[in-house]
Amino acid sequence: MADAKRALITGITGQDGGHLTELLHEKGYEVFGLIRGQRNARREAVIDEFPYVTLIEADLTDQTSLIQAVEASQPDEVYNLAAVSHVGFSFRNPQLTADITGKGVLNLLEAIRIAGFKDRARFYQASTSEMFGGLDYNRPGTGYNEDSLFHPRSPYGVAKLYGHWITRNYRESYDMFAATGILFNHEGPRRGLEFVTRKITDAVARIDAGTADHVVLGDLWPKRDWGYAGDYVRGMWQMLQHDEPDDFVLASGATHSIEDFLALAFAEIGVDDWRPYVKQDPAFMRPAEVDILLGDSAKAERVLGWKRDYDLPGLVRLMVEHDVALQKR
Ligand code: GDP
């Protein structure tokens, strides 16, 4: 396919990287994925699952490797999904988070410019609802939108805010097609076990199989706006097909506590009272917590025609069914 579009994805080994790779492949793209390190443990898994992807060794902290990656892939679209992406981890590794999640975005934008792709490659930056922080004073009742005030509450949120603004700065300074997607929490069977949703559905499946009798969590009262990652990567792609670069919130428009998630997940295996199965440990609590996140994705729905297929009960069912099947195997 001589005229196939070419996409370069950073973070191809992550949850969104997997969903996006599938979507772009279905759409006929030639997909290139950045992979870090000489012996990346995830390399074989990516090759097994996506044999059609061309992997390129590069690192977001290494400018030269990024320039070479852009030259090798000649991309029409670049999706920057790579990051230190776990909030709890970012408190323990704040400098690493700043280097990769923050300055890494600058390195990639510069690579596109230096390699001469600024007018050809459309750029997507994975911004996040963690930039809002969920405090009383900046929290609109209708949910955060593209114009809401930022107040990040973790080294991860602060680094992402740098990435968000440097992307907008390159759009304004160099006239690049550089879009940001401010995505609220998005989950699914590909989610890492370090995130609370997958930690819960994995534990529920083990309890159902009789190989575990409880799960240890941190705070249960925080509320999140959870959607399905498969729906959200479609939105990323739509942002790069739009006629101009812009910023878009993707969210479900509903907010639920960890307790609500526990109730839905345990109900899937016929358990009405989840409390006997949950223990708490301060080790999983954070120095600063985002109390509540709720997003308003009206702009993406109106301008891009973005739609979601999954609500929270549907998402929980998908994840528990997947993890129960995994235990049976
Ligand atoms: P985040 O919203 O990007 O931080 O996504 P997470 O899934 O990591 O965390 C969502 C919420 O669950 C946060 O308020 C956490 O403090 C809370 N939480 C409670 N227990 C746990 C746990 O054991 N692991 C994680 N990752 N989060 C937990």
Side-chain angles (χ1 to χ4, degrees):
M1 271 193 298
D3 56 357
K5 275 199 184 175
R6 304 160 74 91
L8 175 63
I9 302 176
T10 76
I12 196 152
T13 59
Q15 167 185 257
D16 291 3
H19 282 290
L20 184 65
T21 297
E22 270 177 356
L23 178 81
L24 296 180
H25 181 64
E26 273 168 32
K27 292 189 180 295
Y29 279 64
E30 197 172 334
V31 180
F32 297 80
L34 282 201
I35 189 140
R36 196 162 41 93
Q38 286 183 314
R39 292 171 60 81
N40 190 313
R42 310 275 285 277
R43 174 190 288 268
E44 299 308 321
V46 174
I47 293 171
D48 270 1
E49 196 174 358
F50 312 113
Y52 46 82
V53 167
T54 306
L55 292 177
I56 301 174
E57 269 172 32
D59 193 309
L60 276 187
T61 62
D62 177 356
Q63 180 78 77
T64 306
S65 73
L66 294 176
I67 296 168
Q68 287 166 347
V70 173
E71 285 170 346
S73 57
Q74 306 266 308
D76 300 293
E77 295 173 12
V78 177
Y79 294 86
N80 184 35
L81 312 183
V84 168
S85 66
H86 189 254
V87 171
F89 181 88
S90 81
F91 279 105
R92 298 187 296 276
N93 302 273
Q95 284 106 344
L96 183 70
T97 304
D99 286 345
I100 296 172
T101 306
K103 189 165 171 241
V105 186
L106 173 64
N107 292 342
L108 187 53
L109 287 163
E110 270 299 277
I112 293 169
R113 224 165 63 85
I114 293 168
F117 275 72
K118 111 176 164 54
D119 297 322
R120 165 161 167 193
R122 295 187 164 202
F123 180 79
Y124 172 85
Q125 168 59 15
S127 290
T128 166
S129 53
E130 286 290 321
M131 301 187 309
F132 294 122
L135 295 166
D136 283 346
Y137 85 95
N138 76 337
R139 198 172 65 217
T142 49
Y144 291 107
N145 63 30
E146 295 77 8
D147 300 319
S148 300
L149 274 181
F150 297 119
H151 186 142
R153 300 262 292 156
S154 62
Y156 168 74
V158 173
K160 277 286 184 184
L161 191 51
Y162 175 83
H164 183 74
W165 277 108
I166 201 68
T167 301
R168 294 184 65 162
N169 179 254
Y170 270 56
R171 180 198 307 162
E172 292 166 10
S173 306
Y174 303 116
D175 208 20
M176 280 176 70
F177 192 111
T180 70
I182 307 173
L183 270 51
F184 282 65
N185 297 52
H186 45 288
E187 318 291 316
R190 290 180 184 278
R191 194 57 145 154
L193 292 168
E194 68 273 33
F195 291 88
V196 77
T197 55
R198 186 77 198 292
K199 188 172 170 182
I200 291 170
T201 61
D202 173 70
V204 161
R206 286 174 200 276
I207 290 165
D208 186 52
T211 57
D213 58 10
H214 70 278
V215 57
V216 185
L217 300 171
D219 285 318
L220 305 181
W221 48 264
K223 291 181 152 186
R224 290 291 181 274
D225 177 327
W226 281 298
Y228 172 51
D231 288 337
Y232 287 48
V233 299
R234 215 168 42 240
M236 297 177 187
W237 176 78
Q238 287 179 297
M239 289 177 212
L240 293 201
Q241 314 316 306
H242 188 49
D243 43 17
E244 47 192 57
D246 206 341
D247 312 300
F248 294 97
V249 164
L250 299 185
S252 79
T255 189
H256 295 274
S257 66
I258 319 285
E259 294 193 347
D260 296 338
F261 194 99
L262 281 164
L264 286 167
F266 274 93
E268 287 296 321
I269 58 161
V271 172
D272 290 336
D273 182 10
W274 51 267
R275 286 177 198 277
Y277 299 98
V278 175
K279 295 185 178 152
Q280 284 181 280
D281 184 334
F284 295 107
M285 297 172 188
R286 291 159 184 185
E289 182 58 83
V290 172
D291 295 359
I292 171 168
L293 288 177
L294 173 66
D296 172 3
S297 56
K299 177 177 169 186
E301 289 161 33
R302 190 182 68 249
V303 176
L304 304 174
W306 181 63
K307 286 197 197 77
R308 287 173 296 105
D309 288 337
Y310 282 79
D311 60 7
L312 185 62
L315 169 66
V316 174
R317 180 159 309 132
L318 179 74
M319 292 177 71
V320 173
E321 279 176 0
H322 172 272
D323 285 340
V324 165
L326 212 59
Q327 288 303 316
K328 294 214 167 102
R329 250 184 264 148

